[in-house]
Amino acid sequence: MGRVKAVVAYDGTNFAGYQSQPGMRTVQSEIDKALVKIHKDKSIHSVASGRTDSGVHANGQVIHFDTSLTLEEERWQMALNVLLPTDIRIVNVCYVDEDFHARYSATGKTYIFKWSYASVHSPFERNYSVHLGKWRPDVEKMKEAAKYLIGTYDFTSFCSAKTATSNRVRTVRLLTLERHGDELVMTIEGDGFLYNMVRTIAGMLLAVGKGWHQPEEVKEILALKDRQAASKTAPAHGLYLDNVTYDYDDIPK
């Protein structure tokens, strides 16, 4: 048996999230269906770096699966892309050691969140950024607020009440906001993220940008460890899993 690592990009618009769910169209179910066909109907399951919600996109989701086949790496990419629907693409494939795990070997993740400044939100962009409408947030205040979230903290105030784990301490290593044309892009990188954590942070920073909260209040809300203290969770369709990193120098990032 060999272990294969693949980098996957997908448009999350028409999926009920990443993880397989009975009777639902999900990214994992489509990938596993393609793997079963390649393996001549033999049961095979992929493992991802983590799940994403319905509507969330990915530029660099990472999966692994075990196989008895000996296809060249390029053939794996070609075979999977032929079988997968066009809203999922395999970006890169390589063989890895058997101790590699898409989820547990990950050392960091990067997400981006996009808002649109466009006066009229294009119908071709409606599923890929959150329209600000007439609002023009104070980005400098958002940047000031973001500084309070960089570091190692208990992020209970910034995750869903449905978060399964009791350990809610995470490290945010990078949190930036930049204007690119008609888009405002938040980039966040850390050792891992709780359920809805990135979207809640995005919602909180926008609330600061709109003047509903002052930047220094973010520090106070973080210390409260109370989800009710933070702002509304931002919509899923503005979020992208951009990259997953590993301590494997020979594995493409």
Side-chain angles (χ1 to χ4, degrees):
M1 295 288 285
R3 180 157 292 187
V4 177
K5 169 184 178 282
V7 179
V8 186
Y10 51 85
D11 175 348
T13 303
N14 295 316
F15 291 105
Y18 180 84
Q19 189 175 32
S20 292
Q21 301 174 57
M24 305 292 283
R25 184 176 188 257
T26 69
V27 179
Q28 185 180 31
S29 63
E30 293 290 347
I31 292 172
D32 287 356
K33 188 162 54 177
L35 287 170
V36 167
K37 287 183 179 179
I38 292 172
H39 289 82
K40 308 296 184 183
D41 295 327
K42 179 182 177 182
S43 179
I44 184 167
H45 300 285
S46 60
V47 177
S49 69
R51 66 187 69 176
T52 54
D53 287 340
S54 176
V56 175
H57 314 292
N59 298 317
Q61 173 69 281
V62 174
I63 67 168
H64 81 256
F65 59 88
D66 293 327
T67 180
S68 57
L69 303 179
T70 56
L71 295 177
E72 294 180 356
E73 294 170 346
E74 295 79 5
R75 291 295 298 273
W76 273 116
Q77 183 181 22
M78 184 183 301
L80 284 165
N81 280 336
V82 165
L83 293 171
L84 286 167
T86 55
D87 45 4
I88 304 174
R89 292 292 88 179
I90 303 300
V91 177
N92 181 280
V93 177
C94 64
Y95 284 99
V96 290
D97 294 337
E98 63 180 12
D99 61 346
F100 172 83
H101 194 284
R103 179 180 177 186
Y104 298 121
S105 298
T107 57
K109 289 183 179 179
T110 301
Y111 284 88
I112 60 176
F113 193 94
K114 296 181 179 182
W115 292 276
S116 172
Y117 278 97
S119 56
V120 177
H121 203 201
S122 167
F124 304 109
E125 294 294 327
R126 73 191 189 283
N127 294 320
Y128 309 107
S129 61
V130 175
H131 193 218
L132 291 170
K134 295 181 179 180
W135 287 101
R136 291 296 178 265
D138 187 327
V139 178
E140 292 306 311
K141 284 191 174 182
M142 294 172 72
K143 289 180 178 179
E144 185 181 345
K147 294 177 182 177
Y148 293 110
L149 297 171
I150 298 173
T152 302
Y153 303 107
D154 183 318
F155 280 93
T156 296
S157 293
F158 291 90
C159 70
S160 170
K162 297 178 182 178
T163 301
T165 180
S166 58
N167 177 12
R168 298 179 179 181
V169 175
R170 297 291 184 273
T171 299
V172 173
R173 297 186 281 242
L174 173 77
L175 179 52
T176 63
L177 292 125
E178 296 181 338
R179 178 81 179 262
H180 298 287
D182 279 342
E183 286 186 335
L184 174 62
V185 180
M186 181 188 85
T187 302
I188 185 168
E189 189 269 331
D191 61 353
F193 296 94
L194 301 162
Y195 183 37
N196 279 353
M197 178 174 160
V198 178
R199 288 168 56 197
T200 305
I201 287 174
M204 187 74 237
L205 294 182
L206 186 63
V208 170
K210 290 181 175 182
W212 298 346
H213 293 275
Q214 294 304 308
E216 58 271 19
E217 288 182 62
V218 171
K219 183 178 181 180
E220 299 168 6
I221 291 168
L222 187 63
L224 286 173
K225 301 177 186 178
D226 178 6
R227 176 63 187 90
Q228 297 302 313
S231 295
K232 184 179 178 181
T233 303
H237 64 275
L239 182 62
Y240 299 71
L241 172 55
D242 197 49
N243 188 39
V244 186
T245 53
Y246 299 89
D247 284 337
Y248 285 74
D249 293 337
D250 58 339
I251 297 175
K253 303 296 193 291

